[in-house]
Amino acid sequence: MASFNLLYATFTLLLALLSSSSTFCFAYPFGWGGGGGGGGGVGVGGGGRRPIGTQTYSGLLPGFYGHSCPQANDIVMSVLERAISKDPRMAASLLRLHFHDCFVQGCDASVLLDDGETFVSEKKSVPNKNSLRGFEVIDEIKSELEEACPETVSCADILALAARGSTVLSGGPSWELPLGRRDSRKASLNGSNKNIPPPNSTIQNLLTFFQRQGLNEVDLVSLSGAHTIGMARCTTFKQRLYNQNGNNQPDSTLERSYYHDLKTVCPKTGGDSNISPLDLASPTTFDNAYFKLILSGKGLLTSDQVLLAGNLGKTMQLVKAFADDRALFFSHFGRSMVKMGNIGPLTGYNGEVRKHCRKVNL
Ligand code: HEM
Ligand SMILES: *[C@@H]1O[C@H](CO)[C@@H](O)[C@H](O)[C@H]1NC(C)=O
Ligand SMILES: *[C@@H]1O[C@H](CO)[C@@H](O)[C@H](O)[C@H]1NC(C)=O
């Protein structure tokens, strides 16, 4: 055990040295959409193909567990396979968990903490309460990983691996995933209430929320494509059906027959926790149907439809491009997921590797 610890300490030190001194460059796993951390452009219309690009990582490395826990991803995938075959919606719920983690204090597994002595759980925030799912699956992955490689794989990395695995198991793209995030010792209820965009956001609101995290309009559109799987509660789209602009009228950008269908799921009073698919065409398949639906006025949330109806040239173009070209969407989704996954990670000696994802170590 002692020699393992020594080895681990040396390895960590090495990593800390490496990450403070250099920028890592990796070939982007897809044949296009390079351009580095800033986001660059998107191949809309014409010359979509770009040379293989590079990506800047914030001290995280795809091979981080290569020696300390080489089987980490296999363990994650085997638990995911079981969980998703039992409940197909679970893939969506796990993908969303990573998003709600990264937008609050960075990707540090703060979202997984229950109430602590000095902080209140993010699970109680407006966007998360009665909404986030999948905590038991994360616990199961963690307990299998603790058995195989004790005190090694962080809960924040489990969220990132589960998000990728869930995408893959739903038919979506894979990507090279930088790892080495460490777990926070606190959560932020305020941060959760302030930083996660509400479903009735305008296009300007959405851009502002994403810019605050260092994400651009390309990331906004590609990551919104996560809504190609999963469900939303009536309370998140009721405003659109009955009083979108304070005039007791439905949202005029909502397609008529879809509007009538939604009213049966989401009555004017009550029914707040009834659920409807975000992508009614294929709610458990990760494809580009989400963008096609938006083109026909069948985006479920205001935040989905305004990517087109918000009249912002760039997001409109992207919705059309992704509706037209599934491979283009997939490549951008992977790229933007890596960017989102790089938001404010704890590395080196910061944070800890939690033993239980719901509570900080003693
Ligand atoms: C662009 C701003 C976004 C807004 C306003 C938004 C809002 C929402 C809302 C309101 C729900 C339904 C929650 C409920 O009713 O309980 C939802 C579900 C979901 N969101 Fe987002 N979201 C956004 C971006 C994202 C991103 C970036 C991801 C992941 C990369 C994501 C993944 C998901 C998934 C997969 C679901 C379905 C979850 C399930 O079925 O359990 N969303 N989102
Ligand atoms: C969180 O918000 C509450 C009420 O809005 C405020 O009283 C509190 O000081 C805030 N805490 C932090 C850490 O910002
Ligand atoms: C969004 O919903 C919140 C809470 O219901 C409300 O206070 C706010 O005015 C709405 N925003 C827009 C742009 O409709």
Side-chain angles (χ1 to χ4, degrees):
M1 217 49 203
S3 72
F4 170 78
N5 280 331
L6 186 66
L7 210 125
Y8 180 74
T10 316
F11 181 63
T12 314
L13 185 68
L14 223 136
L15 273 167
L17 284 171
L18 273 170
S19 52
S20 62
S21 65
S22 55
T23 297
F24 297 102
C25 293
F26 295 96
Y28 188 69
F30 302 98
W32 45 12
V42 61
V44 183
R49 284 179 189 272
R50 287 160 170 270
I52 288 172
T54 58
Q55 179 81 48
T56 305
Y57 294 140
S58 33
L60 306 179
L61 284 168
F64 189 82
Y65 299 112
H67 296 287
S68 58
C69 194
Q71 67 275 53
N73 189 57
D74 292 343
I75 292 175
V76 171
M77 291 306 284
S78 78
V79 177
L80 289 182
E81 275 170 32
R82 278 201 308 270
I84 295 169
S85 66
K86 220 166 53 183
D87 171 13
R89 184 184 171 194
M90 191 49 72
S93 305
L94 293 169
L95 177 53
R96 185 169 183 237
L97 270 187
H98 183 45
F99 162 51
H100 282 218
D101 180 31
C102 293
F103 269 52
V104 182
Q105 300 182 163
C107 314
D108 61 357
S110 57
V111 73
L112 301 178
L113 290 170
D114 290 335
D115 286 344
E117 276 170 24
T118 55
F119 57 82
V120 180
S121 173
E122 292 170 20
K123 296 173 187 177
K124 294 178 175 169
S125 74
V126 174
N128 292 346
K129 202 177 156 199
N130 300 321
S131 181
L132 285 186
R133 311 167 73 243
F135 298 108
E136 326 71 40
V137 178
I138 299 296
D139 289 341
E140 205 177 320
I141 294 171
K142 180 62 175 174
S143 95
E144 291 204 8
L145 282 171
E146 284 302 298
E147 221 162 278
C149 331
E151 295 170 50
T152 303
V153 182
S154 68
C155 298
D157 279 344
I158 292 174
L159 286 173
L161 287 164
R164 181 181 64 174
S166 294
T167 302
V168 170
L169 293 175
S170 306
S174 188
W175 54 90
E176 188 175 59
L177 179 56
L179 297 166
R181 299 167 189 81
R182 290 166 62 85
D183 301 325
S184 69
R185 291 186 50 85
K186 59 182 169 47
S188 174
L189 178 65
N190 277 3
S192 181
N193 280 319
K194 281 187 203 148
N195 292 325
I196 294 168
N200 64 352
S201 296
T202 63
I203 188 70
Q204 282 310 327
N205 292 153
L206 291 175
L207 285 174
T208 304
F209 276 95
F210 274 63
Q211 274 159 6
R212 216 182 279 166
Q213 307 288 345
L215 299 174
N216 61 25
E217 62 272 74
V218 181
D219 302 314
L220 168 63
V221 180
S222 54
L223 292 173
S224 292
H227 289 176
T228 180
I229 52 174
M231 313 288 289
R233 289 164 305 147
C234 157
T235 184
T236 66
F237 56 86
K238 184 175 271 190
Q239 180 185 340
R240 298 190 74 197
L241 305 181
Y242 304 104
N243 191 16
Q244 179 69 343
N245 298 306
N247 56 359
N248 292 312
Q249 293 301 309
D251 185 340
S252 61
T253 66
L254 190 55
E255 192 272 335
R256 275 325 265 189
S257 70
Y258 185 45
Y259 159 71
H260 287 292
D261 293 345
L262 287 178
K263 285 204 296 183
T264 68
V265 183
C266 190
K268 188 161 189 175
T269 52
D272 281 0
S273 50
N274 294 350
I275 55 174
S276 184
L278 285 153
D279 164 359
L280 87 159
S282 50
T284 59
T285 306
F286 198 105
D287 54 19
N288 65 336
Y290 166 82
F291 296 104
K292 296 181 184 166
L293 288 168
I294 290 178
L295 290 185
S296 57
K298 295 176 181 172
L300 181 59
L301 308 177
T302 297
S303 63
D304 298 318
Q305 199 60 47
V306 294
L307 298 177
L308 185 75
N311 276 312
L312 191 83
K314 183 117 190 192
T315 63
M316 285 171 72
Q317 261 191 317
L318 285 162
V319 169
K320 290 176 190 163
F322 292 164
D324 251 23
D325 187 342
R326 191 185 75 138
L328 183 71
F329 164 50
F330 278 14
S331 72
H332 276 283
F333 186 76
R335 198 169 120 74
S336 294
M337 284 294 285
V338 170
K339 264 179 93 177
M340 184 175 84
N342 281 350
I343 299 171
L346 296 169
T347 55
Y349 293 108
N350 296 314
E352 63 185 16
V353 173
R354 273 180 223 147
K355 293 182 191 139
H356 299 283
C357 291
R358 293 173 190 259
K359 54 183 199 225
V360 300
N361 296 341
L362 294 173

